[in-house]
Amino acid sequence: MADHRHRLLGAALLAATLGACTSSGPGGGKDVPLPVKSRADAVAWARDVVEQLALVLEVRLNDKPAGTNFSRCLGKKGEPFFEDRYELIYGVRSDTPNARHAEVVRRARDRLLGDGFEVTDFRVTTDGTPHALVDARHPESRHRVSVKSGEGGDALAFVVITPCLQEPPRG
């Protein structure tokens, strides 16, 4: 029963992951249109990704407000794009005991790999202050997900970073 529930949650995570920020091709390119999403929809989508991952990992997100940071998209040479283009960094924490951080981060890595992500960084250290980290990027939607400790106390951070998105036309 629990295994069936985890498969269903994993399928929901994959659907939330792939359905939200896809563009017309892997890796993008200057001629590929940007995904169109309002800032409110981007926050709701990022929240869904984090909540689904937390469910799969069996951790409880804390009640503190999520951190949301919108920034302008930059070109390859650091030039700013138009005002209607943005990236979102969305983060929330879980009060998970330090002793579980390595296990949770390993499980997050395995889940993300199973959902088609590429792991770009993975670390688990136990000497001194325990620290665990997984950073992953989805090759099609180009969004990134991180789960990491080292935020102090029992905090385990869940972060979603969108690719460059474009606001829907006004009118």
Side-chain angles (χ1 to χ4, degrees):
M1 177 73 164
D3 187 45
H4 177 70
R5 190 182 100 188
H6 284 288
R7 272 190 255 126
L8 289 174
L9 290 172
L13 175 62
L14 184 59
T17 298
L18 294 177
C21 285
T22 55
S23 64
S24 299
K30 69 178 187 166
D31 296 326
V32 175
L34 292 176
V36 175
K37 187 172 289 300
S38 73
R39 291 174 188 239
D41 287 346
V43 169
W45 171 80
R47 182 179 51 246
D48 288 346
V49 170
V50 167
E51 287 174 354
Q52 292 297 323
L53 185 56
L55 280 170
V56 168
L57 298 175
E58 299 175 337
V59 297
R60 184 180 173 280
L61 300 173
N62 68 28
D63 295 330
K64 294 178 181 156
T68 55
N69 181 33
F70 292 98
S71 61
R72 287 178 60 183
C73 297
L74 299 177
K76 288 184 179 184
K77 296 178 183 173
E79 68 278 12
F81 281 127
F82 301 102
E83 291 292 326
D84 65 342
R85 299 175 187 191
Y86 67 93
E87 290 179 325
L88 166 66
I89 300 173
Y90 176 90
V92 68
R93 293 189 174 151
S94 167
D95 297 322
T96 302
N98 264 324
R100 287 199 58 216
H101 286 198
E103 169 233 335
V104 170
V105 167
R106 282 187 181 101
R107 289 178 55 215
R109 175 201 58 196
D110 295 346
R111 170 56 65 184
L112 292 166
L113 283 169
D115 287 343
F117 282 78
E118 299 167 346
V119 171
T120 57
D121 197 1
F122 174 75
R123 288 177 266 161
V124 174
T125 59
T126 54
D127 41 328
T129 304
H131 181 74
L133 159 78
V134 63
D135 288 328
R137 179 181 179 272
H138 199 276
E140 292 174 24
S141 66
R142 299 184 329 268
H143 76 281
R144 295 170 283 171
V145 174
S146 295
V147 179
K148 59 186 174 179
S149 64
E151 301 287 323
D154 287 337
L156 191 62
F158 287 74
V159 179
V160 173
I161 304 172
T162 68
C164 191
L165 300 172
Q166 185 168 0
E167 288 276 357
R170 290 184 172 98

